[in-house]
Amino acid sequence: MHRSAYEHMKMAMARHLPKDRRLEVLELGSARVANQPLDHRSLLAEVDHSYIGVDIREADNVDVVMKKPYTIPARSNSKDVVIAGQVFEHIPFFWASMLEVARILRPGGVWFVTVPSRGHRHGGVDCWRYYRGGMRAIAAASRLTLLETHTHFPPTLDGSIRHDYAKTDSQMHYWGDTLGVFQKPQRYPLEMRVVAPVVRWWANRSAADGPLGGPPKFDPKCPL
């Protein structure tokens, strides 16, 4: 995880993390890679909480390995906080995972997510970049309430809307991030009990055919 993503998550949690009770926390995509000095778990050091880290593979900081990539191993309405930092760009069918996050959150529970808004392709599967409009779309589709969102855009040219990409270096934050903070309403729509299981079943079935959801159907002349 790059530094700016960590700082965005730190600020968001300082503003929106519930502080009046012990928290049941789940981190989706919790695997910690070698030589990674930063992790989200450290942001909970002074918070009364229990923590479980889940991911699709065994790794450091993973308590439970997900048997299916689009089924989070947690009961419905069981978590006060879900953290997903720099993971949703790697999820091919992210709409299935967002419905899983909504399912496991308790009413009033909060989901913190950071995702790249720019930056080079990384990891074996890297599918998406997100903006504020993407966070609003996730809120609409999942029926969660969007509490906060912002995108870190590159420097601009003379205050215009045109971006000065030449200045986007390590000092000007080559990586950019979009932050989203969502809350589950006290009355979650009943129709989601029908929608979410169907989407989860479809995503898990599709993922079983390959990391991108089935055999490649690309034109062989199309450059990868």
Side-chain angles (χ1 to χ4, degrees):
M1 161 193 354
H2 48 279
R3 180 55 130 182
S4 62
Y6 177 85
E7 294 297 338
H8 282 302
M9 185 70 80
K10 180 179 179 180
M11 290 186 293
M13 292 177 70
R15 286 193 288 265
H16 298 287
L17 198 68
K19 300 178 176 64
D20 59 345
R21 62 187 184 277
R22 179 176 175 81
L23 301 176
E24 300 286 336
V25 179
L26 181 143
E27 182 170 4
L28 177 62
S30 63
R32 187 162 46 216
V33 300
N35 301 318
Q36 178 178 306
L38 302 172
D39 63 54
H40 299 112
R41 194 168 185 171
S42 65
L43 298 175
L44 300 166
E46 299 182 3
V47 177
D48 185 13
H49 74 285
S50 65
Y51 173 96
I52 181 171
V54 304
D55 211 310
I56 61 172
R57 65 189 185 281
E58 292 184 358
D60 185 29
N61 200 48
V62 175
D63 300 301
V64 179
V65 175
M66 302 166 66
K67 295 181 179 179
K68 296 182 179 180
Y70 294 96
T71 301
I72 298 177
R75 298 190 313 275
S76 299
N77 304 309
S78 64
K79 301 302 175 185
D80 298 293
V81 174
V82 173
I83 301 170
Q86 306 304 108
V87 64
F88 263 63
E89 70 272 24
H90 300 297
I91 302 177
F93 312 138
F94 67 85
W95 48 93
S97 295
M98 75 182 184
L99 293 178
E100 274 292 274
V101 170
R103 176 184 67 82
I104 70 173
L105 277 176
R106 290 187 173 120
V110 184
W111 173 27
F112 297 89
V113 57
T114 60
V115 282
S117 61
R118 66 179 186 270
H120 62 267
R121 183 176 67 84
H122 61 290
V125 177
D126 189 0
C127 302
W128 311 103
R129 296 293 179 267
Y130 296 80
Y131 302 114
R132 289 170 294 185
M135 296 295 102
R136 290 191 287 269
I138 286 175
S142 65
R143 300 299 192 267
L144 298 175
T145 302
L146 183 60
L147 300 179
E148 179 182 354
T149 183
H150 63 257
T151 293
H152 184 195
F153 288 106
T156 58
L157 288 168
D158 302 322
S160 68
I161 63 173
R162 293 182 300 162
H163 295 147
D164 188 355
Y165 289 99
K167 291 184 179 179
T168 307
D169 53 22
S170 58
Q171 284 73 40
M172 298 298 292
H173 302 292
Y174 168 81
W175 284 100
D177 305 286
T178 293
L179 166 80
V181 182
F182 304 83
Q183 186 171 45
K184 187 172 184 176
Q186 293 296 328
R187 289 191 173 185
Y188 194 59
L190 291 177
E191 66 266 22
M192 302 309 290
R193 296 183 183 179
V194 176
V195 173
V198 173
V199 173
R200 180 173 63 243
W201 170 84
W202 169 84
N204 281 319
R205 183 183 180 188
S206 298
D209 294 327
L212 292 178
K217 295 186 174 76
F218 304 122
D219 186 324
K221 298 180 182 178
C222 178
L224 297 179

